[in-house]
Amino acid sequence: MLKGKHIILGITGGIAAYKSAMLLRLLIKRGAEVQVVMTPAAKEFITPVTLSALSGKPVISQFFTANSGEWHSHVDLGLWADLMLVAPATASTLAKMATGVADNMLVTTYLSAKAPVMVAPSMDLDMFAHPTTARNLETLRRDGVEIIEPGSGELASHLIGKGRMAEPEEIVERVEAFLEARNAGIAGKSDSDMKGQRWLITAGPTFENIDPVRFIGNYSSGKTGFDLAAEIAERGGEVLLVAGPVTIPTPESPLVKRINVRSAVEMYEVCLKEFEMCDGAIMSAAVADYRPEKCAERKIKREGEEELTLHLVRNPDIAASLGRIKGDRFLVGFALESDHELENACSKMERKNLDCIVMNSLRDGKCFNVDTNSITIINRDLARKKYSAMDKRELARLIVENIIDEQKRKKKEN
């Protein structure tokens, strides 16, 4: 995937810069041509001589070479690159990228880059958890920057927490998966390949009330469903987005209509009513399987009660209900499994009469409230497409591409 690719490797002044030598070596071994751009502070952690020897190119750090006056054009670099990767990306550099403070060669190159940009943050746990860093990362995400989430472990401060730069092998895998997904999208994507279609998409959790202030729910953020809605709208399709209680803004498209619901029963009623007017549905919501049989009219008090027993009853199965009436419509389900993943996902697809199912795994515990995920798409003929961790927006593109391919295949068979 990286053979012949032009990659700018930006290195900033953090202790994880020592990992950049191995990262550079791995990129070169995969066939990439790499130009290193360092911040002045990065040279305090790893020498340009080491990186130049590994890349076969002079390292760029300043706007011009002091002894010769040779100018290093950030504009030319931005046009040359197929990808810009900043690893490690310190809190300072992330802030400068988010706010456009172009006071060094690396940030100036970022502002000139025409290619996609990925960053691998690295900092102490308190810095990573600070609201300022969170805001800067969110700004970069909105600007289209792919974030490679840091890991947890012992940091340079000897504290334990989240902030370790992802390992070089993981970063290279993410780069390859990102470019593969992007190339697939560019090659196959058209802003009219879903024109004339209307899709029902469910997203987020459902909340099942216990009393006026408490509920049974789950950790679903709804991001995958919202990304799927945005992707279909970009391809010309109309979307009815049935959203559980989430705070994500509706995709900015006149083709997306949003209906807010709270409970599984409310979501079921809307879906059953609207599905007949749709060409297909994507059931990405994390719907509660059970709800309390009765919701208390007043807040339940704990005084004098050692135990509280809730009697739960089964919620309607939305995907199965649509599967029974779908006819020629295309129906996509999701499966979140912790064991026997493939067996359980395939069984679910068969029982609910789905055309394909997107399988998530709980083994790595990274499905909810994160911007990345790894999935396996299983089609009706049991053909499988497995994708390693990448941004959920990219995964939405791959899921929609699979739907389009399967729709074409069904038409040929019929």
Side-chain angles (χ1 to χ4, degrees):
M1 193 64 229
L2 298 185
K3 187 174 183 180
K5 296 293 185 183
H6 295 168
I7 296 177
I8 298 170
L9 176 59
I11 303 176
T12 68
I15 187 63
Y18 79 91
K19 295 182 180 180
S20 298
M22 178 56 70
L23 175 58
L24 173 58
R25 181 173 174 80
L26 290 173
L27 292 171
I28 297 289
K29 287 183 71 174
R30 300 289 177 95
E33 185 178 344
V34 184
Q35 175 62 63
V36 176
V37 178
M38 302 178 74
T39 63
K43 292 188 284 187
E44 301 294 327
F45 294 89
I46 187 169
T47 68
V49 173
T50 299
L51 299 167
S52 179
L54 291 171
S55 69
K57 293 177 177 290
V59 170
I60 297 175
S61 180
Q62 305 293 342
F63 292 103
F64 59 89
T65 304
N67 58 353
S68 68
E70 179 186 359
W71 175 255
H72 300 138
S73 172
H74 53 87
V75 175
D76 289 345
L77 270 177
L79 293 172
W80 171 83
D82 296 303
L83 176 77
M84 182 174 184
L85 169 65
V86 184
T90 60
S92 175
T93 293
L94 292 172
K96 291 178 180 181
M97 292 171 66
T99 56
V101 179
D103 64 349
N104 62 45
M105 187 67 184
L106 191 152
V107 179
T108 311
T109 302
Y110 162 69
L111 294 175
S112 301
K114 305 297 183 186
V117 179
M118 304 179 77
V119 297
S122 172
M123 64 200 74
D124 209 60
L125 73 165
D126 292 325
M127 298 175 71
F128 185 75
H130 198 279
T132 302
T133 303
R135 284 197 300 271
N136 290 333
L137 286 171
E138 184 56 34
T139 296
L140 291 173
R141 284 191 186 96
R142 289 198 302 267
D143 291 342
V145 175
E146 179 85 357
I147 312 297
I148 302 174
E149 289 285 325
S152 296
E154 185 176 0
L155 306 171
S157 63
H158 303 298
L159 297 174
I160 307 296
K162 187 172 184 179
R164 288 170 58 97
M165 186 180 86
E167 295 303 316
E169 294 82 1
E170 180 185 347
I171 293 174
V172 172
E173 287 181 6
R174 285 289 304 279
V175 167
E176 289 187 320
F178 175 77
L179 290 176
E180 180 181 6
R182 183 177 176 83
N183 288 345
I186 291 173
K189 186 171 179 177
S190 165
D191 60 5
S192 62
D193 53 17
M194 280 196 154
K195 190 172 182 179
Q197 295 190 35
R198 188 172 191 260
W199 282 80
L200 172 70
I201 299 178
T202 63
T206 62
F207 288 172
E208 312 302 325
N209 289 345
I210 297 172
D211 63 19
V213 297
R214 301 181 182 93
F215 60 86
I216 297 172
N218 58 62
Y219 297 111
S220 175
S221 66
K223 187 173 186 347
T224 296
F226 279 66
D227 286 340
L228 286 164
E231 180 67 22
I232 289 178
E234 283 187 9
R235 296 170 179 270
E238 293 183 38
V239 178
L240 179 64
L241 180 60
V242 185
V246 297
T247 58
I248 304 176
T250 307
E252 295 181 359
S253 170
L255 296 173
V256 179
K257 176 186 176 183
R258 177 175 176 173
I259 297 178
N260 292 321
V261 298
R262 179 176 176 85
S263 69
V265 170
E266 290 174 343
M267 185 174 284
Y268 169 79
E269 290 173 350
V270 172
C271 289
L272 216 60
K273 176 184 176 182
E274 298 291 340
F275 186 54
E276 291 185 4
M277 297 176 286
C278 295
D279 297 280
I282 305 175
M283 303 283 99
S284 67
V287 182
D289 293 324
Y290 296 89
R291 70 183 186 275
E293 184 178 32
K294 295 181 179 179
C295 175
E297 294 182 0
R298 298 181 179 181
K299 179 183 175 183
I300 299 172
K301 309 295 270 186
R302 70 175 182 175
E303 285 75 10
E305 301 290 341
E306 289 298 323
E307 295 182 352
L308 172 66
T309 301
L310 292 177
H311 185 241
L312 304 180
V313 296
R314 189 187 295 270
N315 272 322
D317 189 325
I318 302 174
S321 298
L322 299 188
R324 287 191 288 269
I325 62 172
K326 76 182 183 75
D328 294 332
R329 300 173 187 85
F330 198 93
L331 186 58
V332 181
F334 277 65
L336 177 58
E337 304 293 342
S338 58
D339 54 76
H340 304 292
E341 290 99 336
L342 279 173
E343 179 183 343
N344 289 336
C346 291
S347 174
K348 183 176 182 178
M349 178 170 59
E350 181 68 28
R351 293 193 320 271
K352 302 190 179 187
N353 195 25
L354 307 175
D355 292 285
C356 74
I357 194 164
V358 180
M359 185 186 77
N360 298 290
S361 174
L362 275 176
R363 288 192 177 188
D364 58 8
K366 294 181 179 178
C367 292
F368 292 127
N369 290 313
V370 293
D371 292 302
T372 60
N373 199 6
S374 55
I375 63 170
T376 301
I377 302 174
I378 308 170
N379 289 317
R380 191 70 181 184
D381 60 1
L382 300 184
R384 302 196 301 267
K385 301 175 183 177
K386 187 174 182 179
Y387 300 100
S388 56
M390 67 179 75
D391 189 87
K392 289 180 178 179
R393 186 65 178 82
E394 292 298 321
L395 289 175
R397 177 178 290 123
L398 293 169
I399 293 168
V400 173
E401 289 286 349
N402 182 76
I403 290 171
I404 293 169
D405 290 342
E406 287 300 293
Q407 283 180 316
K408 291 176 180 177
R409 187 173 69 84
K410 285 183 71 174
K411 283 183 179 179
K412 287 182 180 179
E413 291 177 354
N414 296 333

